[in-house]
Every structure is written in C-alpha cells, then in structure tokens.
Amino acid sequence: MPDLDALRARWTHALEGTRPPGGPDPAPYADNLLARWREPQRRYHSVAHLTAVLDHVDLLEKYADDPDLVRLAAWFHDAVYHPDRSENEERSARLAERALAELGCDASRTREVARLVRLTVTHDPAPDDRDGAVLCDADLAVLASPPDAYAAYTAAVREEYAFVPDEAFRAGRAAVLRELLDLPRLFRTPYGQREWEERARHNVGDELGRLDPTVPGAGA
C-alpha cells in the first residue's frame, strides 16, 4: 500500500521548491489531492499510479529544467479522472491553476504546471521541452513493465472501463495503442529511449495484436 504520509511529504517538498516561503498550509491541498486519487472509480489511475509517476520523475530529474514543477504536474495530471468523460486533462489543468494560485505560486510557474498537465493528452512534447519529456516519460513508463506487471496494468484499465461493451472497448483501446505506436518515439529522455523504448513498443504491439489480430506485425 502507498505510504500516504510519505506522499504528503513529497507534495510539500515539491510545492516549497516552487513558491516563496510563508504561503498557505500545503497539508489540506495534499489531502484533497490524495482523496481524488483514491476515488472508487479508479483502478489504474490510483494512488499507486501517482506514486509510480513521482518515482519515475525522481529517476529522470536530471533531464528536467525544473524537476519540482514536473512533480507538481504529476500530482495534478490525473487529479480529475472519470473514465466516461473526455475532458479530464483539461479539468485537471484548471484545478492546478486554481490550487497553485491559492498556494502562492507565481503566475508563470502555475501556467507551466497547467501546460504540462495538458501535455499528457498527447504525450508528444516538443524536442526542446525538457520538463514535458520527463513528465511524459514518467507517465508512460508503465508501458515498459515486465509481462506480469503489464498484464496487471491492462486489466486495471479494463476495470476502469467496465461500463463499455467488449467490442467498443477493444476498438477504443486499439485506437489509443495505434496513436502511441505512431509517435516517432514513445520516450524522449535519453534514459527512457535507452531503457524503456524497445520493451514498451513490444508490449504495446503485442497488446494491439491481441485486440486486433488483423494488424500486420502488431504482435511482433
């Protein structure tokens, strides 16, 4: 089980690294975010996912221009999550804008966190977007999981979409996987490209092949 006290400490550390001293107490905001990440509709987009993304940001922090901003974006990137809605990233970004302004972050840093949250719609940062590369790589690192962990990930995603009939789910999931495989690279940091790219493409292609066996070479 994730250590909620440790997560609260990580939130406070990231926030204090991005705002002037003496702002509002960060604890109620951490509790609000953790309550969101623990909502009952979540099976994959849970506190465990938040923890994994934060861990991966820590791993990749040397590639970021402002690692603490990336950590704040990780906290907010799925803070609003309802599987039956399409505007989750936008609503999460707006939540970040409101909360960080209240917490005393300056306007430019608040805008940057919101921009990073919105970037998780496409996971396609610009070549010079170092912070975006770190957040997107941290979010997609699950794709490079070992087989058992990848299977658990896909099962959790299916549980989140249990209200969708099998045929519709297969078509929608296959479309998402094709979009990922169409990216020139799944990972943009040197570490991600070196350690995760090949395995992730294999996992995604294999899953796509199971969902749509007509795709040539999808399971290769």
Side-chain angles (χ1 to χ4, degrees):
M1 294 292 292
D3 184 335
L4 298 185
D5 287 337
L7 283 168
R8 292 183 183 97
R10 294 173 82 168
W11 158 260
T12 299
H13 178 80
L15 179 65
E16 299 300 358
T18 59
R19 70 172 186 173
D25 183 1
Y29 291 84
D31 289 341
N32 178 273
L33 286 165
L34 288 170
R36 291 174 177 274
W37 283 95
R38 299 170 74 194
E39 291 166 340
Q41 76 275 14
R42 298 170 183 261
R43 293 296 182 270
Y44 170 65
H45 295 89
S46 64
V47 174
H49 173 59
L50 169 63
T51 303
V53 174
L54 290 170
D55 288 347
H56 287 121
V57 172
D58 289 349
L59 178 66
L60 301 171
E61 67 175 340
K62 70 179 181 180
Y63 302 111
D65 289 326
D66 195 330
D68 282 331
L69 281 186
V70 181
R71 292 183 178 99
L72 291 180
W75 274 91
F76 283 103
H77 84 285
D78 282 319
V80 178
Y81 184 74
H82 297 281
D84 59 340
R85 299 179 184 175
S86 61
E87 72 279 7
N88 290 312
E89 292 86 359
E90 179 60 30
R91 293 177 66 198
S92 295
R94 292 178 183 177
L95 176 65
E97 289 169 339
R98 294 194 303 272
L100 294 177
E102 291 173 5
L103 283 161
C105 292
D106 66 46
S108 63
R109 289 186 167 184
T110 297
R111 284 194 300 270
E112 175 64 1
V113 171
R115 182 192 72 82
L116 290 169
V117 171
R118 293 184 173 103
L119 185 60
T120 61
V121 175
T122 63
H123 294 98
D124 191 15
D128 61 347
D129 184 0
R130 287 166 52 88
D131 289 342
V134 169
L135 179 63
C136 290
D137 279 17
D139 195 26
L140 293 182
V142 66
L143 300 179
S145 298
D148 288 350
Y150 190 86
Y153 151 67
T154 59
V157 171
R158 183 66 183 105
E159 286 183 36
E160 286 185 339
Y161 287 88
F163 59 91
V164 179
D166 283 344
E167 184 175 351
F169 176 82
R170 289 168 66 91
R173 178 68 177 173
V176 169
L177 298 177
R178 289 190 191 95
E179 289 178 2
L180 289 171
L181 290 175
D182 284 344
L183 292 171
R185 294 187 304 276
L186 288 170
F187 299 101
R188 307 306 175 90
T189 63
Y191 184 95
Q193 291 171 31
R194 183 179 69 249
E195 300 293 335
W196 296 335
E197 183 79 21
E198 182 177 357
R199 183 169 30 169
R201 285 194 174 273
H202 175 84
N203 285 341
V204 172
D206 190 58
E207 183 188 359
L208 180 57
R210 292 193 300 272
L211 292 169
D212 185 359
T214 67
V215 177

